[in-house]
Amino acid sequence: MAAFEKILLKNMDMPDYSGSLKDYERAGGYRAIQNALGKTKPGDLIDIVKRSGLRGRGGAGFPTGVKWGFIPQDHPGPKYLCCNADESEPGTFKDRQLIERDPHQILEGIILACYAIGARTSYIYIRGEFALGAEILEKALDEAYKVGYLGTNILGAGFDLDVYVHRGAGAYICGEETALLESLEGKRGKPRTKPPFPAIAGLYGKPTVINNVETLANIPHIVNRGPEWFMSIGSPPKSPGTRVFSLSGHIARPGNYEVPMGITIREMLEDFGGGMSDGKQLKAIIPGGASASFLTSEHLDVKLDFEGIASAGSMLGSGAITFMNEGTCMVWAAERLLEFFHHESCGKCTPCREGSMWLLQILHRMEAGHGKHEDLDLLLKLCGNIAGQTVCAFGDAEIAPIVSTLQHFRHEYEAHIRDGCCPYRTEQAELVSTGSSQRH
Amino acid sequence: MFSSEAKKRISLVLKRYPIKSSALLPLLNLAQEEEGFVSEDSMREIAKLLDLTPPKVYEVATFYTMLNLKPIGRFHLQVCKSLMCALVGSETLLKWIDQELGIKPGETTQDNMFTLNTVECLASCGTAPMMKVNNDYFEHLTHEKVCQLFEDLRTTGKCSLATGPFRWPDPGMLR
Ligand SMILES: Cc1cc2nc3c(=O)[nH]c(=O)nc-3n(C[C@H](O)[C@H](O)[C@H](O)COP(=O)(O)O)c2cc1C
Ligand code: SF4
Ligand code: FES
């Protein structure tokens, strides 16, 4: 594919780049706040982000500038920005790299976002497991406070901002924006019913924006180089910019690769992932993290942008792409994902809480060779009763692996039922108990 | 319960939030850092500090997988078993651990050194098989590395195979 310039992973490509304040500044960092704070009006900054076409990198792909624009400008009390660093979607490991290798890029994005929406306090909600990431962010915050990029009257622009790191403690659902807010308020991380939306009543009932790490990391670059520049990259007008894709599964070179949106899955696999490993054939692709529907080897020429993946029947989600080879059992894969969803359901809605257990039981039975023909309809019926019936998007996510594997690989389910065993496993894999209790 | 060092940290933590209960997770994490698990006593003390009832603290503590409400071994082995890791060998990793330590998920070695649990995705899917031991990540594990890891932990309590700051692909990944 044609040459392109990295945006977010560019600094860390420099030899000896440590992610320190000094290194970040040497790479041109903190220029955006120097140029914007006190010089660009907050409303104009929102407009710049709107015109750039930037869409959220956390999963839903909502236009960032539009989201910021929902915050009531004249609201008298506090407003908040939460940086979503909960990164728990299976397959996704990009935010971890952005946090641990270039923390100031994220902080500068946070400062700009807070300036634009008028927030004086921001929390970085980071998943509890990222102990090193939290430590690195704390250190970066210390550095930024020392030179006056945070605190009171930043750069003499009359703008005050405090940023805090808040660690979670192991719960996937806290990545859902309203569950994140509940968790931050010291409660169980259960999503809220919407409306009201966080822009009106978010953290502590105040107007709040929640943005993903990678989304915020893009902001300084958009401010420095202009919305037209950003709009010219990737797959405009709907999917401008790059994405940091996390590649995993049966490929030669798994890892994080930043590319302009709009390249095909085939280019991603062959030019970056190094092709399939061990000379095996590709069978299935999950293009957007565990919540995205499975695609097949027939989808290799689908474009990696929001519309491309959506029109193929899946979603770009968190930008995690998992490749599975011909030896992978699709019933087992769906079962594995359902174990995840069952463990992580917050328990608030009956269809999600009970449905995940029933679905998992059927898949267990199927994979162990005790499936019945009626089970296939039962699976679909159960999925139909979960779709759209839940407080948060988790409900739709948990059925995606089942509905899509049944759509593309129904014959594998049928083989399990017919043969009374899993055709892909010589020895039946022991089901791994988690050793930790359900949260509901 | 909390050490005087921890108490200093607590007063700083409380300043970060407009309401006290926001400090609940940070304090539960801190309690676990101090004692290796979250005891009933520490939950009562946290309740007092934050003007909450003990059941409220317990209700929240039981929601979060990382909080251990019972004592565990000195080293907590957490093997990711989610799909992406399972594709490239998390089951084999569990077998190696069983071979070397004789424990299965949910179990603790007799000398109380190691507790093994399986967990869901740890954002390490491209560098699997992997596990987390206490606060450290160990990635690209092989049988040999696992043996070295246990040996090092037993003798020195630390292991230089810990990975991060994370970047992959990157030849200079090892810390
Ligand atoms: C079940 C569930 C889990 C989620 N997990 C995350 C996550 O770990 N990180 C994240 O940034 N967004 C996650 N999201 C999306 C957030 O709700 C939210 O849309 C996002 O943080 C908004 O930021 P963005 O607009 O910058 O993408 C999740 C959503 C759902 C429904
Ligand atoms: S859909 Fe599931 S995870 Fe979401 S609120 Fe309902 S029970 Fe909780
Ligand atoms: S699936 Fe194991 S770390 Fe993500």
Side-chain angles (χ1 to χ4, degrees), chain A residues 164-368:
Chain A
Y164 304 110
V165 176
H166 186 95
R167 287 180 65 192
Y172 164 73
I173 194 60
C174 291
E176 195 279 341
E177 55 185 21
T178 57
L180 183 153
L181 300 177
E182 290 283 294
S183 179
L184 196 38
E185 291 180 3
K187 300 179 215 154
R188 294 188 135 216
K190 297 195 178 209
R192 298 174 180 169
T193 37
K194 292 184 255 189
F197 289 93
I200 305 304
L203 187 62
Y204 311 123
K206 309 292 185 217
T208 303
V209 163
I210 299 105
N211 273 138
N212 170 259
V213 163
E214 184 184 349
T215 311
L216 289 165
N218 272 295
I219 303 293
H221 304 283
I222 291 172
V223 171
N224 282 333
R225 302 169 77 170
E228 292 76 22
W229 162 79
F230 194 79
M231 196 38 117
S232 73
I233 298 166
S235 193
K238 294 242 173 99
S239 305
T242 62
R243 278 299 285 257
V244 182
F245 286 101
S246 302
L247 270 49
S248 62
H250 299 131
I251 57 173
R253 291 197 299 267
N256 282 322
Y257 298 95
E258 181 181 15
V259 299
M261 275 194 272
I263 76 166
T264 64
I265 303 180
R266 186 189 305 278
E267 286 174 300
M268 194 77 238
L269 171 61
E270 286 168 8
D271 298 353
F272 297 92
M276 299 301 288
S277 50
D278 304 328
K280 297 252 177 64
Q281 292 296 310
L282 171 69
K283 183 197 275 190
I285 305 160
I286 311 179
S291 304
S293 293
F294 284 49
L295 298 177
T296 71
S297 53
E298 283 170 20
H299 294 104
L300 273 172
D301 293 309
V302 168
K303 279 189 175 171
L304 283 165
D305 57 28
F306 289 105
E307 311 84 75
I309 298 289
S311 59
S314 188
M315 64 170 185
L316 199 57
S318 59
I321 316 178
T322 303
F323 296 91
M324 288 166 272
N325 69 22
E326 54 194 324
T328 315
C329 171
M330 291 295 109
V331 177
W332 169 84
E335 179 197 24
R336 262 300 150 99
L337 289 172
L338 254 293
E339 281 184 9
F340 166 80
F341 284 117
H342 175 54
H343 184 257
E344 298 301 332
S345 165
C346 85
K348 182 165 180 159
C349 331
T350 313
C352 170
R353 183 187 63 239
E354 303 299 315
S356 65
M357 183 184 64
W358 291 341
L359 290 170
L360 180 59
Q361 280 175 359
I362 298 171
L363 289 177
H364 274 338
R365 175 159 97 217
M366 187 87 60
E367 180 62 9

Side-chain angles (χ1 to χ4, degrees), chain A residues 91, chain B residues 80 82 84-85 121-125:
Chain B
C80 170
S82 297
M84 294 72 192
C85 280
C121 183
L122 292 173
S124 201
C125 334

Side-chain angles (χ1 to χ4, degrees), chain A residues 12-13 80 90-93 96-97 100-101 123 127-132 138 164-170 173-174 183-189 204 248-250 254-257 286 322 324 328 332-333 336-337 339-340 343-344 425 429 432-435 439, chain B residues 15-19 21-22 24-26 29 33 56 59-60 62-67 78 81-84 86-88 90-91 94-95 104-106 117-127 132 135 137 139 163-170 172-173 175:
Chain A
M12 63 186 85
D13 274 354
Y80 295 100
T92 319
F93 46 90
R96 183 174 161 219
Q97 180 164 328
E100 294 185 8
R101 287 288 180 156
Y123 297 99
R127 64 177 299 179
E129 290 87 345
F130 285 176
L132 180 63
E138 296 272 14
Y164 304 110
V165 176
H166 186 95
R167 287 180 65 192
I173 194 60
C174 291
S183 179
L184 196 38
E185 291 180 3
K187 300 179 215 154
R188 294 188 135 216
Y204 311 123
S248 62
H250 299 131
N256 282 322
Y257 298 95
I286 311 179
T322 303
M324 288 166 272
T328 315
W332 169 84
R336 262 300 150 99
L337 289 172
E339 281 184 9
F340 166 80
H343 184 257
E344 298 301 332
R425 302 223 135 190
V432 189
S433 82
T434 64
R439 68 183 87 252
Chain B
K15 289 203 187 105
R16 299 177 162 195
Y17 311 98
I19 63 169
S21 63
S22 273
L24 182 47
L25 262 196
N29 278 329
E33 229 173 87
K56 174 75 197 171
E59 178 198 317
V60 171
T62 50
F63 189 79
Y64 295 93
T65 314
M66 275 177 68
L67 300 173
Q78 299 146 80
K81 71 163 186 55
S82 297
L83 175 66
M84 294 72 192
L87 288 173
V88 293
S90 51
E91 278 172 27
L94 288 170
K95 262 184 219 144
K104 297 201 162 46
N117 283 121
T118 53
V119 295
E120 301 295 350
C121 183
L122 292 173
S124 201
C125 334
T127 40
K132 208 183 142 214
N135 275 334
Y137 276 61
E139 296 163 271
T163 49
F166 176 71
R167 181 176 177 218
W168 197 259
D170 177 21
M173 181 172 173
R175 200 165 28 189

Side-chain angles (χ1 to χ4, degrees), chain A residues 6-22:
Chain A
K6 289 185 194 177
I7 302 171
L8 304 175
L9 304 187
K10 187 175 176 180
N11 292 346
M12 63 186 85
D13 274 354
M14 299 189 306
D16 300 326
Y17 187 81
S18 71
S20 68
L21 177 75
K22 232 198 209 151

